[in-house]
Amino acid sequence: MTISKNQTQLDFSDIQGYIVRGYNMDFARHFVLQVQDAKAAKKFIGNLVNGNQSIPQITTAALWDVKPSYCLNIGFTFEGLKSLQFGNVDQSFSDKHYLSFKKGANHPEIASKLGDVGESSPENWKGGLGTSNTHILLSLYAQDSEVLEKQSDQLRILFQEEQALKELSCLDGAKLPDEQGKPSDIIHFGYNDGISQPKIEGVPSKAGLPSSLDPQPAIPAYDFILLDEPKAPYYVPTPDKLGLNGSFAAFRVMEQDVAGFEKFLQEQKDKIEPEKLAAKMCGRWRNGVPLVLSPDADQLSPPEKPITYEQFNNFNYLQEDPKGYKCPIGSHIRRTNPRDANIKGVTKIHRLLRRGMPYGPAYNPNCPNDGYERGLLGLFICVSLDRQFEFVMEEWVNKGKFATLPDNAQDPLLGVNDSNQSQFDIPVSPDQPSIKLTSFERFVKTKGGAYCFLPSITALQYIASN
């Protein structure tokens, strides 16, 4: 990897691993923890970064020669940092860019921005999320269930030492099987997920993800990692040993109404074929092929063999589909990453890193209303929760004006849609009217959330020793 003179040399051994890489493991468990004893909790944190390989250690972004059997990362809410009783946490996060973090995901103002209203409001969240008792989110990823349980057992012993931490809940995710029964990147709605991720300056890319063919510009590292950079639109939280090389994440528990979604697709078949409608709502066919590159079939021409995701990001909107005849302007991926499309706003300053894992059993179309909850456990990583995560959710997902759409035209998959005003327009051609779909319900509801600070290894050592 070559670092240009305009890029910062990143200290990957000091940065938590999930900030810059997806681990591609089959299982995940997120522990929601409350600090009960500050001194004992700091001892617990110190144990995770003391190099003692007999107990679980925090995974850094340093490249590995052999993929580990598990990875472990940690985030703190603002209330969690205060509960640890070190330094002046209010002063550390006094910059205006950290106001949302200090308020927290369960604050009424923040919840309104994100569309966490009604059934999705914080008072209805599960597992202790939505309360001031949510202090720590400890995320464990494992290659198999045996490793997951073994490391979980060790962590739970550490939680209990000197009554350091109370486990409010644990939220489990696992990859869904593909048609051959092998773990896949498919989510409950049937789409291949995680195909498009930002390219970060100074971060070597894993083959295919993010794609070297993706025409979008690389994003400065300071938009995802807290760095002392003159161009960064923030002040690093103080002292430097707390703030530098850290990041932030919005954690979301998103229930997916798969039965309702599939029912809606079938109800529109007199207007548009169900699989094509699913592609139009997302912007990609369910196997990940983008509509811009293949608007009429779920394969590239000529077919790509073997299928890789690299070519699936080799497109833009401005020249290839400015009016949305291939990929509707209001589709999910065109909203959450408008690329070079003509919109109000600058796409590259609102990018997010996504780390997601399905939870709940696979959907069985022969038993659609089985009573099981299923959805996605997601981390949306950035340095500015308001400028990046909240902006995308408020302006791009839950409004339409940014792209000259009606303001009640929200993201058809992720938006806070209401049957009384929901609308999704599918342009067909210059000489044909659009297909207009209305009266559909919200397909994704929020079951939990938290705003977390993701400290560096240096910061974790600092917290533990103060």
Side-chain angles (χ1 to χ4, degrees), residues 379-407:
L379 283 158
F380 299 86
I381 298 173
C382 55
V383 296
S384 179
L385 288 162
D386 63 339
R387 191 186 76 164
Q388 291 167 277
F389 178 70
E390 289 176 9
F391 181 93
V392 170
M393 292 298 294
E394 184 179 23
E395 299 296 330
W396 289 355
V397 169
N398 289 320
K399 292 182 182 178
K401 287 183 179 178
F402 81 98
T404 67
L405 298 169
D407 216 31

Side-chain angles (χ1 to χ4, degrees), residues 59-89:
T59 304
T60 74
L63 296 178
W64 53 54
D65 295 323
V66 178
K67 186 173 182 176
S69 61
Y70 77 91
C71 292
L72 183 69
N73 292 107
I74 192 168
F76 300 84
T77 65
F78 183 67
E79 291 298 324
L81 291 176
K82 290 201 298 183
S83 73
L84 291 168
Q85 301 173 18
F86 72 96
N88 186 338
V89 176

Side-chain angles (χ1 to χ4, degrees), residues 178-192:
D178 60 16
E179 293 179 352
Q180 286 74 44
K182 297 180 180 179
S184 71
D185 293 325
I186 298 169
I187 62 171
H188 288 292
F189 283 146
Y191 300 102
N192 270 327

Side-chain angles (χ1 to χ4, degrees), residues 406-457:
D407 216 31
N408 65 318
Q410 302 183 26
D411 187 317
L413 291 178
L414 194 57
V416 188
N417 288 297
D418 182 298
S419 61
N420 294 319
Q421 60 179 12
S422 57
Q423 177 179 334
F424 179 56
D425 292 351
I426 303 174
V428 178
S429 70
D431 54 358
Q432 294 185 54
S434 297
I435 299 172
K436 294 186 178 295
L437 304 178
T438 60
S439 305
F440 52 93
E441 299 283 353
R442 183 174 185 172
F443 296 122
V444 176
K445 296 183 177 69
T446 308
K447 291 293 186 175
Y451 278 175
C452 296
F453 173 57
L454 315 179
S456 67
I457 304 304

Side-chain angles (χ1 to χ4, degrees), residues 258-272:
V258 187
F261 175 65
E262 296 294 342
K263 182 173 179 284
F264 174 71
L265 296 180
Q266 294 299 322
E267 289 173 343
Q268 312 307 315
K269 61 184 178 183
D270 60 328
K271 299 178 182 178
I272 182 172

Side-chain angles (χ1 to χ4, degrees), residues 54-56 149-159:
S54 66
I55 61 174
E149 297 303 332
K150 178 182 177 181
Q151 299 303 325
S152 293
D153 289 344
Q154 286 192 280
L155 289 167
R156 284 176 168 137
I157 291 171
L158 296 174
F159 298 165

Side-chain angles (χ1 to χ4, degrees), residues 2-22:
T2 302
I3 303 294
S4 77
K5 60 184 179 181
N6 295 321
Q7 294 177 12
T8 299
Q9 181 77 49
L10 298 173
D11 184 358
F12 294 110
S13 64
D14 197 43
I15 299 167
Q16 290 203 58
Y18 63 172
I19 296 174
V20 299
R21 64 161 66 160

Side-chain angles (χ1 to χ4, degrees), residues 151-181:
Q151 299 303 325
S152 293
D153 289 344
Q154 286 192 280
L155 289 167
R156 284 176 168 137
I157 291 171
L158 296 174
F159 298 165
Q160 295 167 11
E161 286 185 359
E162 302 175 49
Q163 296 184 326
L165 300 162
K166 179 181 179 181
E167 182 180 328
L168 301 180
S169 62
C170 73
L171 304 169
D172 284 359
K175 287 192 173 187
L176 297 176
D178 60 16
E179 293 179 352
Q180 286 74 44

